[in-house]
Amino acid sequence: MTTATAVTLRGVTKRYANVQAVAGVDLTIRAGEVVALLGPNGAGKSTTIEMLLGLVKPDQGSVQVYGGTPTDAIAAGQVGVMLQSGGIIEDARVGELLNLVAGLHKNAMPVEEALEQAGIADLAKRTMKGLSGGQKQRVRFAMAIIPQPDLIVLDEPTTGMDVESRRDFWASMHAETARGRTVLFATHYLEEADSYADRIVLMRNGKIVADGTAAQIKAGVSGRTIRATIPGADLPALASLPGVRNVETRGDVVLLQCADSDNTLRHLLQNTPAHDIEVTSADLEDAVLAIGAQDESAQQANTAQETLA
Amino acid sequence: MNRDYLIFDIRRTLRNRRVLIFSILMPLVLFLIFGLTIPQDADEAGISAIAYVMVSMAMFGSMSAAMSSGGVIAAERDGGWNRTLRLTPLKPQAYVVNKVILSLLLAVPPLLVVFVVGMTFGHVDLSASQWLTVALVSWLGALPFAAIGLVIGYVAKPDSVQPITGLSTMLIAAFGGLWLPVDQMPSVMKHIAQLTPAYWTSQTSRSALTQGGLDTHALMVVLGWTLVLGFIGLRRYRADTARA
């Protein structure tokens, strides 16, 4: 069971008019994994998910879900989906909607149980129209888990939720992952990927630019951040120090991302009035930003080459 | 067909009382105006005038009720609900069959009310088997209009579906001879009427009241309309779901 493959994408591409939404994605998700698809808006997360679900046909490449087509897996009730928006009937009551979805699946859990797990037992008689964005998201979540699927796919599930609902949502989600379900969720919230996923797949410009555990992605970016108060700092000089990748200021406070923090630190102490110095190792955010910057410069290099050729 | 989906649709429809009451009220009021005001002994095409008008108004009621399911379809498409359905094991054909059944169910209340008023206040005198035949034929005569509802549901946007349905219903009813008997109109109107499915459905229904029995020619035309419109509806439906 643990070695079984839930999802396989091979060389998948999709182009919309003049936008290459997905530019060659290879991704294998093993059964039981909790995977975050992380990336900014327009990175190709939603299109990737739509192809994975068979809602959109890839231009090239193949998609397999539990060894068959996405449609087969959906017909077999193996996939539960929570889409970003829409997808509900506004004049229906919460309980009616869940009854219906349960009735469309063979192996559905009792509606009361789904309501309970999504934390909306008190909303069963309410009409969808009158619910807040966060409450609607919870109904969508209940709709995703009611078939008792092997794979749950969530596209930006916490969009429109406040901090508290988001925390509650992930608590309900934990109950699902604890059952050994495979989960793939798209998000642009870094902390959600960091806290809830076993594995982070980082997308940018339609491609996967990093894939691994949060620790592995952090480790991919060596170096540390130095934070120091330097009145009247000579920023260009600091930026040109060997190994300094990025310089930011917040008033007198200077943040230096450096590959060799020891050397930079030595320079700061000897040649500048820097004080209140802190040195921290990169966190996931730095890693993601660094990978983004690398990707950006690689792209620019490509474009430059193309222009030359 | 999916039973839970049908129950879901019926519950929603019953809650939407305005639509339901309107679907009964329109044919009923028209029947009271046109039907109960004409002389009792008048007769039209071999059957009593009141029975003639009763069948016309019953057909009008079942037709407009059946077409109103287009609004349900348009609304479900607009909110991305059909996307949600595609992510469930529900078979696409089952959705279409469900909506056709819904159309037929919606056609029942206006039919019943018009027939009951015709029987009690209109003193329409028919044998039990005639009542049964005319009711059944009028009810199944809603089928081509269920298909029209399907087509409208897949073509129209939710905010345009009401006027489109309303206008088509009125045009088909007026030109199909449901409001005024075509025999009382200029002959060119009769030719136009024969181009509408409503003329043939009401012709079939009324033939149940005459001595000659069911008008098989009219019945065949109704079947033809049902097949053609059903085919177009199915094509629109496929085009919509194959968008991916």
Side-chain angles (χ1 to χ4, degrees), chain A residues 19-249:
Chain A
V19 182
Q20 189 71 46
V22 174
V25 160
D26 289 279
L27 177 67
T28 304
I29 298 173
R30 286 173 296 278
E33 277 189 311
V34 178
V35 180
L37 199 54
L38 180 66
N41 289 331
K45 306 186 297 283
S46 286
T47 308
T48 302
I49 284 182
E50 284 171 335
M51 290 193 284
L52 189 153
L53 297 173
L55 288 172
V56 166
K57 206 169 157 315
D59 295 335
Q60 287 170 318
S62 68
V63 178
Q64 283 204 328
V65 181
Y66 293 107
T69 64
T71 316
D72 289 342
I74 285 165
Q78 286 176 292
V79 189
V81 186
M82 175 174 170
L83 293 174
Q84 227 182 96
S85 60
I88 47 172
I89 292 184
E90 294 284 338
D91 64 357
R93 293 191 179 140
V94 174
E96 289 173 346
L97 209 52
L98 290 176
N99 256 320
L100 169 57
V101 177
L104 300 178
H105 288 90
K106 277 198 273 298
N107 192 28
M109 67 171 79
V111 171
E112 297 70 38
E113 204 179 315
L115 287 166
E116 201 65 49
Q117 278 186 38
I120 47 172
D122 53 328
L123 300 182
K125 291 209 157 48
R126 295 269 301 274
T127 305
M128 291 301 300
K129 251 188 292 227
L131 301 185
S132 73
Q135 288 170 324
K136 280 184 187 169
Q137 285 297 82
R138 283 159 167 276
V139 176
R140 290 194 185 95
F141 175 66
M143 285 164 64
I145 60 170
I146 208 165
Q148 312 210 62
D150 301 318
L151 168 68
I152 301 181
V153 179
L154 313 107
D155 192 3
E156 310 217 351
T158 56
T159 306
M161 289 189 189
D162 56 29
V163 179
E164 200 182 339
S165 335
R166 216 183 292 171
R167 201 183 46 220
D168 292 348
F169 170 81
W170 284 110
S172 335
M173 199 58 214
H174 255 312
E176 287 302 305
T177 55
R179 287 161 207 244
R181 296 211 201 291
T182 312
V183 177
L184 173 68
F185 67 94
T187 182
H188 55 246
Y189 295 117
L190 206 72
E191 69 274 17
E192 288 190 344
D194 198 5
S195 330
Y196 303 107
D198 308 331
R199 177 180 162 197
I200 297 173
V201 174
L202 187 62
M203 279 193 83
R204 209 171 272 271
N205 300 316
K207 277 180 295 201
I208 293 177
V209 290
D211 183 351
T213 62
Q216 281 168 339
I217 288 183
K218 287 177 205 168
V221 183
S222 52
R224 299 196 161 83
T225 302
I226 297 176
R227 183 193 170 95
T229 308
I230 316 175
D234 180 2
L235 297 177
L238 289 176
S240 65
L241 288 174
V244 171
R245 277 199 294 252
N246 190 26
V247 181
E248 273 177 59
T249 53

Side-chain angles (χ1 to χ4, degrees), chain A residues 50 53-56 74-75 81 83 86-89 91-93 96-97 100 103-105 143, chain B residues 2 4-6 8 11-12 15-16 76 79-81 83-90 243-244:
Chain A
E50 284 171 335
L53 297 173
L55 288 172
V56 166
I74 285 165
V81 186
L83 293 174
I88 47 172
I89 292 184
D91 64 357
R93 293 191 179 140
E96 289 173 346
L97 209 52
L100 169 57
L104 300 178
H105 288 90
M143 285 164 64
Chain B
N2 182 282
D4 293 275
Y5 205 154
L6 200 58
F8 175 80
R11 289 184 64 162
R12 268 165 80 208
R15 207 164 43 233
N16 203 346
E76 291 187 356
W81 174 247
R83 219 167 132 88
T84 300
L85 287 180
R86 284 175 62 192
L87 298 171
T88 72
L90 180 75
R243 193 165 23 182

Side-chain angles (χ1 to χ4, degrees), chain B residues 111-226:
Chain B
L111 271 182
L112 267 183
V113 170
V114 170
F115 284 149
V116 167
V117 170
M119 194 189 295
T120 50
F121 299 101
H123 308 292
V124 174
D125 189 23
L126 299 175
S127 70
S129 74
Q130 277 180 317
W131 275 117
L132 203 68
T133 318
V134 76
L136 202 66
V137 173
S138 305
W139 184 50
L140 293 178
L143 269 176
F145 303 106
I148 293 180
L150 211 62
V151 176
I152 292 177
Y154 280 109
V155 176
K157 294 254 177 291
D159 48 354
S160 62
V161 76
Q162 296 284 17
I164 289 178
T165 309
L167 193 66
S168 339
T169 312
M170 273 165 57
L171 288 177
I172 297 174
F175 285 100
L178 292 185
W179 285 346
L180 269 180
V182 280
D183 299 331
Q184 294 178 5
M185 300 193 230
S187 72
V188 63
M189 295 307 285
K190 183 160 184 170
H191 293 299
I192 294 174
Q194 289 178 348
L195 296 175
T196 71
Y199 173 83
W200 299 102
T201 48
S202 52
Q203 192 68 21
T204 315
S205 293
R206 272 192 296 268
S207 69
L209 309 183
T210 58
Q211 297 303 321
L214 274 188
D215 182 343
T216 44
H217 171 65
L219 187 65
M220 283 303 156
V221 180
V222 171
L223 279 178
W225 269 109
T226 307

Side-chain angles (χ1 to χ4, degrees), chain A residues 3-17:
Chain A
T3 53
T5 305
V7 176
T8 315
L9 302 183
R10 279 221 185 83
V12 170
T13 67
K14 182 71 198 180
R15 194 179 180 86
Y16 287 116

